[in-house]
Amino acid sequence: PIPWTFYTKNAYLGVEQNVDMARMVRDVENITGNQYIFAGKLPQAERLDWDETQSRLKESIESTRRRQATYEQEVQVSLADAWEEVEEIAKVRYAVPTTKHVLDLDILEVRETVEFVVEYRSEPTGRMIRQLRPGVRFDEASGKLFRKVKADEAVIAPYEPSEPTEWMAARMNSR
């Protein structure tokens, strides 16, 4: 049989319990002579490989850590790498005529009116300007330029896969 426990805790009472259920059932079986635990083997298709599972877990955790690092970690960049030259875009104000119809019930007539609505459009000015590249920030306190790290630049703590417990390893080797 495999170890099987029931664990519970109550933080309000400040107590915890861990019951060795497998041993308790074995003791009850010894006292009564009845069998309560029926063990069997899983079909091969339902079995997992420990090393393969740990490898997938390591990849998943490290990928998540890298993604998280791209939000948190920054690297310093040189001024030459921090800026780019782009075409200036200006917001231009336009008064756009809008035709509306008004029903005048006093004279029983429909009149057409024109109202002007102000719209803003972004248009290139034809002039080139320098600006910081997207994602680059200037730190006024230090006078340095920074950008977020890319996933392949992120410095993360490697995930160390765990080893199976002794009792599990012994049973996995015997399958």
Side-chain angles (χ1 to χ4, degrees), residues 96-100 112-116:
V96 179
T98 305
T99 302
K100 290 187 177 183
E112 194 175 276
T113 63
V114 176
E115 290 181 4
F116 288 90

Side-chain angles (χ1 to χ4, degrees), residues 11 35 41 60 63 85 88 115 120 131 160 168 174:
Q35 182 179 358
K41 295 222 179 249
S60 174
S63 171
E85 197 167 75
E88 181 180 46
E115 290 181 4
Y120 291 90
Q131 68 179 26
E160 294 301 326
M168 234 172 118
S174 68

Side-chain angles (χ1 to χ4, degrees), residues 15-80:
V15 295
E16 64 181 350
Q17 291 178 334
N18 195 0
V19 180
D20 184 345
M21 299 298 286
R23 180 178 295 166
M24 180 181 69
V25 172
R26 274 196 315 271
D27 289 347
V28 170
E29 285 178 339
N30 289 337
I31 293 169
T32 65
N34 294 325
Q35 182 179 358
Y36 298 102
I37 295 178
F38 301 91
K41 295 222 179 249
L42 286 175
Q44 196 62 38
E46 292 182 33
R47 296 180 189 189
L48 297 174
D49 180 86
W50 181 269
D51 294 332
E52 183 182 311
T53 302
Q54 290 297 310
S55 177
R56 279 199 315 268
L57 182 62
K58 175 183 171 88
E59 287 173 22
S60 174
I61 289 173
E62 287 184 352
S63 171
T64 300
R65 287 179 179 174
R66 266 192 202 80
R67 229 180 8 265
Q68 183 67 32
T70 63
Y71 297 111
E72 298 170 349
Q73 295 178 11
E74 292 184 315
V75 291
Q76 186 176 345
V77 292
S78 69
L79 180 58

Side-chain angles (χ1 to χ4, degrees), residues 5-16:
T5 67
F6 173 76
Y7 174 80
T8 185
K9 74 177 180 179
N10 186 316
Y12 293 108
L13 301 177
V15 295
E16 64 181 350

